Amino acid sequence: MAGKITIVLIDHSYLVRSGMENLLREFPEVSLTEVFDGSEKHLVEKTMSLKPDFIIINPKSIKDSLNSFVLSLGNDALLIGLVDEHTPPVIRSRFKHILTITDNKYDLLNNMHKLMGTNSKDKSGKHENHSLSERETTVLKHITQGMTNQEIAEKLFLSVHTVTTHRKNITKKLGIKTVSGLTVYALLNKIIDMGEVNQQ
Amino acid sequence: MRIEKDMKLADVIHHDFNLVPVINRFGIHLGFGDGTIEQICKEHKVNVAFFLIIINVYHDPQYFPKKHLQSFPVGSLVAYLHNAHEYYLEQKIPEIKKLIVKLTEESGDKHKNNFKLAFNFFEEYEHELTAHIDREETSVYPYVVELEKVIESGTAPDKVLARMQSYSITDYEDEHENVEEKLYDLKNLIIKYLPSVKNDAISYNILLELFDLEKDLREHARIEDMILVPKVEAMEITIKKMN
């Protein structure tokens, strides 16, 4: 087994949190952190800073902002929805995996076991590569020159879709969203120099 | 904890001192004595119901005021939002700029230019925030105040009706996210990418200020989207029915 598994739980109910804590005692390798206070952005940051392997979310606890929450966590975070039988399919479909709150202990444990199995396989390398690939660096360079996705695609003989994907990955890896923020990053890391900065 | 009118304001501040700038926006300042929220609001001629909504929104991110609580004059809401804007532009932003300048001075000559990049970046953010706030102050808020006047007078001039057709308050909800992104970037630049200096004290202060500003702006946007916008939508419907 590859060391500890970190799980973050977002649920407003004390009883549910205590219940989950109790249940997870069955898994000695798991460390559980509960995050439930604070507003959406705060939650996302706090959650991500813990570098969790799983995030268990009760959609009711963040109902106003579930969509944007899921989006800002990115696609490869292993989100688990803590749902009940009333949870509508639209909400269920937001999650890769589901735990049903009304299940009995046996089923819950069984599902947990399965989930942890899925994670350990693709875990390697997921959190490690934060530096940009060569391609991404080139795309970044063009972004800071003020080029649009379309222009970058033409220049590099890529599809616009591919450029968009590169862009998303750059933002995710660096934690920088705006073009001017990316420009500062590129300057700091000597990917471009002052002379190349497009006057915006 | 839900903050209620019979609590002592001093106890509330002990519990959550981040509320100090918020009560300032109502004209209430430290040294307010030993009164309950209700008493102190009366002294300062502040609408208690409205005061409670605002401090609860700031205190508890999950808080959402019930409809029946939302009966207060729109004028007081607009006045509050205006004071908050002043606080951002006249206190917070200059303070952060000062700190970035200080950080630049402390960095060795080798890195000065890098910190200047961060400064320019923040100035760009300042321009964006100022433009956004200007738009609210010169276009959105006057519109809102006018709607309330129209409802009080009972008749809607054609001018207002025409404006309602061309502009709806829902248009403006979308604008908020954009302002947040640069703050987010700046935090990461400081945490991850700017060169290290000997002592992190100034950077830490900058981060404190940034996180604080970010939280304040977030709750501010929540108040606008959750309280101002629905209120205006309701007024727009009332006026349409009047004619």
Side-chain angles (χ1 to χ4, degrees), chain B residues 49-217:
Chain B
F50 177 57
F51 181 87
L52 286 172
I53 289 176
I54 299 292
I55 55 171
N56 275 306
V57 167
Y58 268 85
H59 175 65
D60 174 10
Q62 311 286 339
Y63 176 73
F64 189 93
K66 296 205 179 74
K67 271 261 149 41
H68 70 87
L69 284 175
Q70 300 195 17
S71 56
F72 50 83
V74 173
S76 52
L77 176 56
V78 168
Y80 167 83
L81 294 169
H82 170 76
N83 287 344
H85 285 164
E86 256 182 23
Y87 170 75
Y88 303 141
L89 294 183
E90 287 168 24
Q91 274 181 261
K92 281 305 221 192
I93 302 274
E95 182 60 35
I96 296 171
K97 278 166 88 175
K98 235 198 285 175
L99 284 167
I100 300 179
V101 170
K102 216 165 139 194
L103 184 64
T104 313
E105 282 163 3
E106 298 241 325
S107 68
D109 280 341
K110 204 173 105 203
H111 293 310
K112 278 226 156 54
N113 283 333
N114 289 337
F115 287 99
K116 287 209 175 103
L117 287 174
F119 184 81
N120 293 343
F121 181 76
F122 189 68
E123 268 197 327
E124 226 175 86
Y125 168 74
E126 182 187 12
H127 293 315
E128 268 174 34
L129 183 66
T130 311
H132 172 74
I133 286 179
D134 274 353
R135 210 158 37 242
E136 292 189 343
E137 297 265 351
T138 58
S139 140
V140 182
Y141 297 170
Y143 171 68
V144 175
V145 172
E146 189 161 10
L147 288 186
E148 191 175 47
K149 275 194 203 137
V150 165
I151 290 178
E152 276 166 14
S153 72
T155 50
D158 293 341
K159 205 179 71 190
V160 176
L161 288 172
R163 172 109 202 256
M164 273 171 56
Q165 301 246 303
S166 67
Y167 173 90
S168 170
I169 192 74
T170 28
D171 298 343
Y172 129 107
E173 277 178 282
D174 305 328
E175 275 189 35
H176 279 131
E177 291 176 22
N178 309 329
V179 198
E180 283 181 26
E181 292 189 336
K182 276 216 162 81
L183 272 191
Y184 172 86
D185 286 0
L186 184 57
K187 287 192 306 191
N188 266 335
L189 286 171
I190 293 175
I191 296 172
K192 299 203 246 182
Y193 303 122
L194 281 169
S196 310
V197 294
K198 270 190 219 117
N199 186 335
D200 274 342
I202 302 173
S203 307
Y204 176 61
N205 276 330
I206 297 177
L207 285 179
L208 281 180
E209 289 287 340
L210 288 176
F211 276 99
D212 190 50
L213 176 63
E214 186 182 52
K215 177 181 176 346
D216 208 315
L217 285 170

Side-chain angles (χ1 to χ4, degrees), chain A residues 39 45 174-175 177-178 180, chain B residues 124 182 185 187-188 193 218:
Chain A
S39 51
E45 276 162 8
L174 301 181
K177 294 176 180 170
T178 66
S180 42
Chain B
E124 226 175 86
K182 276 216 162 81
D185 286 0
K187 287 192 306 191
N188 266 335
Y193 303 122
R218 195 164 47 221

Side-chain angles (χ1 to χ4, degrees), chain A:
Chain A
M1 185 169 31
K4 276 229 171 275
I5 296 179
T6 308
I7 298 185
V8 170
L9 172 64
I10 301 173
D11 193 299
H12 62 294
S13 151
Y14 166 75
L15 278 175
V16 171
R17 294 200 307 272
S18 325
M20 186 62 77
E21 218 172 282
N22 201 21
L23 188 70
L24 286 173
R25 290 218 182 98
E26 308 270 339
F27 301 87
E29 72 275 25
V30 166
S31 77
L32 177 73
T33 312
E34 293 155 9
V35 176
F36 61 99
D37 59 330
S39 51
E40 178 196 325
K41 194 119 172 238
H42 181 74
L43 272 179
V44 175
E45 276 162 8
K46 202 159 159 191
T47 306
M48 291 328 277
S49 69
L50 295 163
K51 292 203 168 53
D53 299 295
F54 297 98
I55 303 163
I56 303 179
I57 297 182
N58 180 346
K60 278 188 185 152
S61 300
I62 51 165
K63 56 182 167 227
D64 293 328
S65 52
L66 182 62
N67 271 348
S68 38
F69 192 84
V70 170
L71 284 177
S72 29
L73 286 174
N75 283 334
D76 60 2
L78 273 168
L79 284 184
I80 302 170
L82 197 55
V83 302
D84 56 37
E85 63 269 39
H86 305 299
T87 311
V90 242
I91 298 211
R92 283 168 182 265
S93 66
R94 297 273 155 219
F95 298 102
K96 275 189 188 152
H97 306 284
I98 294 284
L99 282 179
T100 309
I101 226 164
T102 45
D103 271 355
N104 61 38
K105 186 176 175 186
Y106 175 80
D107 286 340
L108 280 169
L109 284 176
N110 229 351
N111 286 336
M112 288 284 206
H113 267 300
K114 277 190 210 147
L115 285 173
M116 302 209 188
T118 45
N119 192 32
S120 52
K121 264 173 256 154
D122 54 27
K123 202 183 158 190
S124 57
K126 181 168 279 176
H127 298 297
E128 282 151 32
N129 187 13
H130 281 288
S131 58
L132 299 182
S133 71
E134 214 169 298
R135 231 329 140 37
E136 285 161 350
T137 310
T138 316
V139 173
L140 171 65
K141 213 166 166 169
H142 291 315
I143 293 172
T144 62
Q145 288 158 348
M147 287 167 75
T148 64
N149 286 356
Q150 180 76 46
E151 287 163 345
I152 298 173
E154 277 164 27
K155 177 139 193 174
L156 300 178
F157 304 106
L158 296 171
S159 71
V160 176
H161 179 77
T162 310
V163 176
T164 316
T165 310
H166 281 313
R167 247 186 129 123
K168 272 192 203 146
N169 287 339
I170 292 170
T171 290
K172 203 156 82 188
K173 281 185 182 175
L174 301 181
I176 298 184
K177 294 176 180 170
T178 66
V179 172
S180 42
L182 290 170
T183 309
V184 174
Y185 173 85
L187 285 166
L188 288 174
N189 289 280
K190 311 220 166 12
I191 294 167
I192 52 172
D193 61 50
M194 265 307 194
E196 288 176 273
V197 179
N198 207 24
Q199 218 51 43
Q200 284 160 7

